[in-house]
Amino acid sequence: MPIKPSKITPEKIYKKRRTFIAAGLGILALPIIDKGYAMLNTQQDGTDQPFPPIESMPEAADTVLKPTPLETITSYNNYYEFGYGKDDPGEADKTLITSPWSVEIGGPGADNPGIYDIAEIKGEHAIENHIHRFRCVEAWSMVIPWNGIKLADIIRSAQPNSKAKFVRFTTLNDPQQMPNAGWPGGPYVEGLTIEEAMNPLTMMATGIYDKPLEQQNGAPLRLVVPWKYGFKYIKSIVKIELVEHMPHGTWWKQNDREYGFYANVNPRFDHPRWSQATERVIGERGRKPTLLFNGYADQVAHMYPDPDNRLYFY
Ligand SMILES: Nc1nc2c(c(=O)[nH]1)N[C@H]1C(S)=C(S)[C@@H](COP(=O)(O)O)O[C@H]1N2
Ligand SMILES: [Mo]
């Protein structure tokens, strides 16, 4: 096992270095710098145990979710187009023009493609309220009271044909409106299978706490997939395409060893550089156990035939 940097570096320097790295690049972008990762599917304590059996997983017992305060949701963010630090997106000038805002809905799988303004999209579909757990791949979490439209409604309006096997989403990438639009991962792209996209849990969020989404949270329209890691929740969407082939998402493209297509939350499969067994609840003390499919296994597990296959869980 490689020695953890914390074991060989005085803690102060180590902490400083972490802050520097986190501020300079963002934790997701670390792989080239930090080689202190554990082997895939082994425990982070260095014991090399196989991952625990599925029966031993904690259950989603906390049915009453306590929403994270809005100030926290809007001030601790990942939105690299607005900077790599967690504070950067919230502190950035409000340069994103979210009205008017065009969303192109099309691709070879859509028989009824079109370009719509966000106001039309909001006007045509029912807005629902859903409080969901939100789990970032970096092992922190919040609870978000979303307002939004079922992605299934939007897809049905586009009249999907037999070529609609996947959905590909693209974020705006405009240096005039986004101070860090030139980052290597841009334009941000994400994807879902058509089955995942049609699942009733999958939403296009337009608001949080009954207020329009703020710029830092991906205004005016962003994806919400509660059983997946946060990097799938692509922000400020300008294009939704129904396509035949699996979309190559931004993080998968950046680092295919650490980030894949499915990215379903699973405490049994560690990230190569940290454990996914528990999560740090932002704004609270301590950690809590991470739940299989982030607590939504009943609604989504049927889409993934093999719960022991890492393919589905990174
Ligand atoms: N366009 C775009 N979408 C993005 C990101 C990003 O950097 N750019 N970061 C992702 C990551 S890693 C996470 S955890 C969530 C964070 O969403 P939040 O800031 O609303 O909590 O947005 C996701 N969507
Ligand atoms: Mo994330």
Side-chain angles (χ1 to χ4, degrees):
M1 290 295 297
I3 302 163
K4 281 194 194 157
S6 54
K7 298 240 171 72
I8 51 171
T9 319
E11 196 177 49
K12 247 193 205 159
I13 298 169
Y14 172 67
K15 278 205 179 123
K16 229 193 208 155
R17 193 167 73 195
R18 290 303 299 249
T19 317
F20 163 73
I21 292 166
L25 277 162
I27 196 166
L28 283 164
L30 274 171
I32 318 121
I33 297 163
D34 182 356
K35 298 274 194 240
Y37 44 74
M39 296 299 290
L40 302 183
N41 304 343
T42 60
Q43 298 305 296
Q44 300 289 304
D45 60 7
T47 52
D48 254 12
Q49 294 295 312
F51 53 78
I54 196 159
E55 303 79 49
S56 73
M57 288 297 100
E59 303 237 345
D62 56 326
T63 39
V64 182
L65 296 172
K66 191 170 124 234
T68 304
L70 185 61
E71 309 84 77
T72 309
I73 297 172
T74 55
S75 60
Y76 188 92
N77 300 97
N78 273 334
Y79 198 169
Y80 283 11
E81 290 86 335
F82 287 90
Y84 299 125
K86 295 285 187 276
D87 305 341
D88 293 342
E91 286 172 3
D93 293 338
K94 302 290 178 219
T95 46
L96 194 68
I97 302 161
T98 56
S99 174
W101 180 276
S102 295
V103 185
E104 187 185 332
I105 305 175
D111 284 340
N112 181 33
I115 297 172
Y116 304 91
D117 187 75
I118 184 68
E120 286 175 83
I121 296 173
K122 283 196 198 179
E124 272 168 35
H125 304 282
I127 306 276
E128 303 180 354
N129 308 319
H130 294 277
I131 301 176
H132 287 309
R133 295 176 202 87
F134 174 80
R135 172 62 157 77
C136 175
V137 75
E138 297 163 336
W140 53 265
S141 71
M142 299 191 193
V143 171
I144 320 257
W146 301 105
N147 318 113
I149 300 158
K150 279 204 175 81
L151 178 57
D153 288 356
I154 293 175
I155 290 176
R156 272 191 212 102
S157 310
Q159 294 173 15
N161 59 42
S162 61
K163 287 182 178 156
K165 299 204 172 76
F166 295 90
V167 186
R168 184 179 191 273
F169 307 85
T170 311
T171 295
L172 180 76
N173 193 48
D174 180 358
Q176 304 284 319
Q177 298 183 55
M178 303 161 134
N180 196 32
W183 81 286
Y188 204 99
V189 167
E190 259 308 336
L192 297 173
T193 67
I194 191 76
E195 190 187 16
E196 292 173 331
M198 297 303 285
N199 187 283
L201 280 180
T202 306
M203 291 172 74
M204 298 299 288
T206 56
I208 293 173
Y209 276 109
D210 297 322
K211 296 188 172 91
L213 281 183
E214 295 204 23
Q215 171 177 290
Q216 57 268 42
N217 293 114
L221 194 69
R222 63 95 59 91
L223 183 65
V224 170
V225 268
W227 70 100
K228 292 181 181 283
Y229 290 118
F231 72 87
K232 298 293 291 183
Y233 294 49
I234 178 170
K235 294 177 167 179
S236 307
I237 293 165
V238 290
K239 210 192 273 185
I240 303 172
E241 296 163 282
L242 307 185
V243 297
E244 272 189 281
H245 302 289
M246 187 179 272
H248 207 176
T250 288
W251 283 107
W252 182 15
K253 215 180 222 169
Q254 294 270 308
N255 184 348
D256 64 357
R257 210 178 58 84
E258 302 193 350
Y259 310 105
F261 175 78
Y262 289 97
N264 296 313
V265 175
N266 190 334
R268 299 162 74 218
F269 288 90
D270 289 340
H271 184 278
R273 289 179 284 128
W274 57 81
S275 167
Q276 295 291 27
T278 64
E279 59 204 50
R280 183 167 60 93
V281 186
I282 303 299
E284 287 177 25
R285 279 151 188 263
R287 307 180 73 86
K288 67 176 186 188
T290 287
L291 303 170
L292 181 61
F293 293 109
N294 207 23
Y296 303 97
D298 289 351
Q299 291 101 306
V300 302
H302 66 273
M303 294 190 280
Y304 313 100
D306 185 359
D308 290 333
N309 190 345
R310 180 177 181 265
L311 172 76
Y312 297 117
F313 304 109
Y314 76 106

